[in-house]
Amino acid sequence: MSESRKAHIPVAPPREPLPLFQLILVGLQHVLLMYGGAIAVPLIIGQAAGLSREEVAFLINADLLVAGVATIIQSFGIGPVGIRMPVMMGASFAAVGSMVAMAGMPGVGLQGIFGATIAAGFFGMLIAPFMSKVVRFFPPLVTGTVITSIGLSLFPVAVNWAGGGQQAGTFGAPIFLLVAGLVLAVILLINRFMRGFWVNVSVLVGMGLGYILAGAIGMVDLSGLNQAPWLQVVTPLHFGMPTFSLAPILSMCLVVVIIFVESTGMFLALGKVTGREVTPGMLRRGLLCDAGASFVAGFFNTFTHSSFAQNIGLVQMTGVRCRYVTVVAGALLILLSLLPKAAFLIASIPPAVLGGASIAMFGMVTATGIKILQEADIGDRRNQLLVAVSVGFGLIPVVRPEFFAQMPQWMEPITHSGIAMATVSALVLNVLFNILGGADRATHNVCHQH
């Protein structure tokens, strides 16, 4: 049964590349989807550190460069590093809370953040081989719960974008809803009535038409484009030598552990989407790339890097499971880091356009999680409780971000991440119910039937 089901997954099996033109178009979709997230972290930290607009632009280009190189290594694989699957890398949101606090600390600032990032990346490379052995704690029950939570925790981002974005003067104005609705409608219609290549680039077509419409009605802001240089090369240690302080380093090491937990869930999700079993060896290579990227990022004026969850939805939606798509996307990111004007144009895509596309794609991540849960014994009451409580925990930071405001600051990377909360909850409850409780499970089920 499962074999026949796999045969219907459309278009490219993992090792069968598309023609170059199609690779570039599908790769561009991946870049457009993750671009907002990729530039958000340097934007937030740059503002917190009080940098000028030119320095913030440099931070963004530095992030694009490291994200591009890390994406290529993660997808293509070099020696013992890289999971060799269609993965997009970018600056991790898990560290934002800690880094904003560091930016305001006397004697820490940007150099201290970069130093902590380098130290945490080195720490991550040391622990990656041990973290990769946790695959056995991620059965379909846990993986499905985590992936469902990833989709649900991303959904508010899609809804915020579709309503016009956080900065919108009139959030939810009919014009924003119209643009988002048009993008979503185009994607749905292409998936319903077209085949092959058009389905692969449906997100790009929807966003392209949305961008044209938004431009025609004056929603696209291109002020500052003329001031952006044509060419700019990112140089290492642009802001001076990194400094190393114990408290920021410990804080970032905790962040790296959280990134590893999140990345493990994402790699397993991607394995399900692409029809590949993620082995401990593959997981070790993937986590080593996450840690190595963070280590190098500190020298190149940027922050801890991790795999992006949004792009799993795009792989699932387009059916293009070939890793060369994200290799091309990584090359496009490097190109954008050298061409500030091109990066500026992509940054000008209105949130409503991104929102229309994201509603479909983030929803696909949730649907993938539900599909994986079907492989687990979801009829069992304990397993239902595990899913219910873990999804609930995952939604706490989404529904009320200030819920854990009174908790110690070092816990922020966990308490402010819905993905981390759901993952930790699912892992702990699975150990409690199914690993430690395995001996009495048969008796419990017999009693339950009577």
Side-chain angles (χ1 to χ4, degrees):
M1 180 68 188
S2 63
E3 287 301 317
S4 64
R5 203 178 287 169
K6 277 179 191 168
H8 295 298
I9 294 175
V11 204
R15 291 185 179 81
E16 192 177 299
L18 296 167
L20 182 61
F21 178 64
Q22 290 190 34
L23 270 183
I24 291 170
L25 286 181
V26 182
L28 183 59
Q29 281 185 145
H30 277 286
V31 171
L32 293 177
L33 179 61
M34 61 81 70
Y35 193 86
I39 68 171
V41 176
L43 266 175
I44 293 165
I45 305 307
Q47 286 166 1
L51 299 183
S52 68
R53 190 166 175 174
E54 291 73 28
E55 287 176 320
V56 171
F58 188 89
L59 270 189
I60 290 170
N61 284 346
D63 183 55
L64 293 177
L65 175 68
V66 173
V69 173
T71 296
I72 291 172
I73 294 171
Q74 187 71 281
S75 304
F76 190 72
I78 294 178
V81 181
I83 199 164
R84 297 171 172 83
M85 287 166 74
V87 174
M88 292 297 291
M89 301 280 290
S92 171
F93 276 91
V96 167
S98 303
M99 291 193 297
V100 167
M102 287 179 215
M105 280 182 196
V108 180
L110 265 186
Q111 286 98 329
I113 291 173
F114 296 144
T117 302
I118 292 165
F122 183 71
F123 169 74
M125 289 191 283
L126 293 179
I127 66 165
F130 305 102
M131 287 293 289
S132 65
K133 292 181 169 55
V134 302
V135 177
R136 69 189 189 91
F137 293 106
F138 283 86
L141 178 68
V142 173
T143 312
T145 303
V146 169
I147 297 162
T148 304
S149 296
I150 290 172
L152 291 175
S153 64
L154 287 171
F155 220 78
V157 177
V159 174
N160 273 328
W161 282 344
Q166 298 283 16
Q167 273 71 49
T170 50
F171 182 82
I175 194 67
F176 296 141
L177 306 188
L178 176 72
V179 170
L182 172 89
V183 174
L184 180 58
V186 169
I187 293 169
L188 294 174
L189 290 171
I190 290 174
N191 277 274
R192 170 62 184 87
F193 293 107
M194 304 225 177
R195 292 284 176 272
F197 167 71
W198 288 105
V199 171
N200 296 346
V201 295
S202 60
V203 174
L204 187 62
V205 174
M207 288 175 68
L209 289 174
Y211 190 75
I212 292 166
L213 173 66
I217 56 181
M219 278 172 60
V220 178
D221 178 16
L222 294 177
S223 60
L225 178 62
N226 292 334
Q227 285 75 42
W230 280 103
L231 187 71
Q232 185 178 41
V233 179
V234 174
T235 49
L237 306 177
H238 177 80
F239 295 93
M241 287 299 288
T243 58
F244 300 90
S245 311
L246 185 61
I249 287 172
L250 292 175
S251 174
M252 291 297 265
C253 286
L254 177 65
V255 166
V256 165
V257 174
I258 301 305
I259 287 172
F260 277 5
V261 172
E262 289 186 357
S263 289
T264 299
M266 289 175 208
F267 291 148
L268 292 168
L270 199 55
K272 296 289 184 183
V273 170
T274 57
R276 293 184 67 185
E277 185 190 350
V278 178
T279 63
M282 287 170 68
L283 190 57
R284 184 182 69 249
R285 294 202 305 263
L287 296 178
L288 270 174
C289 187
D290 276 12
S294 300
F295 179 73
V296 172
F299 292 104
F300 275 87
N301 324 291
T302 186
F303 314 106
T304 46
H305 272 55
S306 67
S307 314
F308 267 43
Q310 298 97 304
N311 295 85
I312 297 170
L314 188 54
V315 173
Q316 168 78 333
M317 186 150 177
T318 61
V320 180
R321 304 174 294 147
C322 153
R323 62 191 167 125
Y324 294 105
V325 166
T326 46
V327 170
V328 168
L332 290 174
L333 284 174
I334 294 171
L335 191 63
L336 284 171
S337 79
L338 299 171
L339 304 172
K341 278 192 191 295
F344 192 100
L345 277 174
I346 291 183
S348 71
I349 295 173
V353 174
L354 288 169
S358 300
I359 284 173
M361 284 176 299
F362 298 170
M364 285 295 274
V365 178
T366 306
T368 302
I370 294 168
K371 181 169 173 281
I372 294 165
L373 281 173
Q374 292 173 343
E375 298 173 29
D377 180 12
I378 205 65
D380 187 290
R381 187 175 52 80
R382 290 185 194 176
N383 289 347
Q384 289 171 8
L385 198 56
L386 179 150
V387 175
V389 171
S390 301
V391 169
F393 269 115
L395 287 174
I396 289 172
V398 173
V399 177
R400 291 299 294 265
E402 71 277 22
F403 188 83
F404 291 110
Q406 309 303 317
M407 301 298 279
Q409 194 178 11
W410 62 266
M411 291 180 68
E412 275 188 12
I414 305 172
T415 57
H416 280 55
S417 165
I419 299 170
M421 289 286 291
T423 305
V424 170
S425 170
L427 284 171
V428 170
L429 290 178
N430 185 55
V431 169
L432 178 68
F433 287 166
N434 295 323
I435 296 177
L436 298 179
D440 67 295
R441 173 54 65 94
T443 322
H444 168 82
N445 284 345
V446 170
C447 295
H448 193 65
Q449 283 162 13
H450 288 303

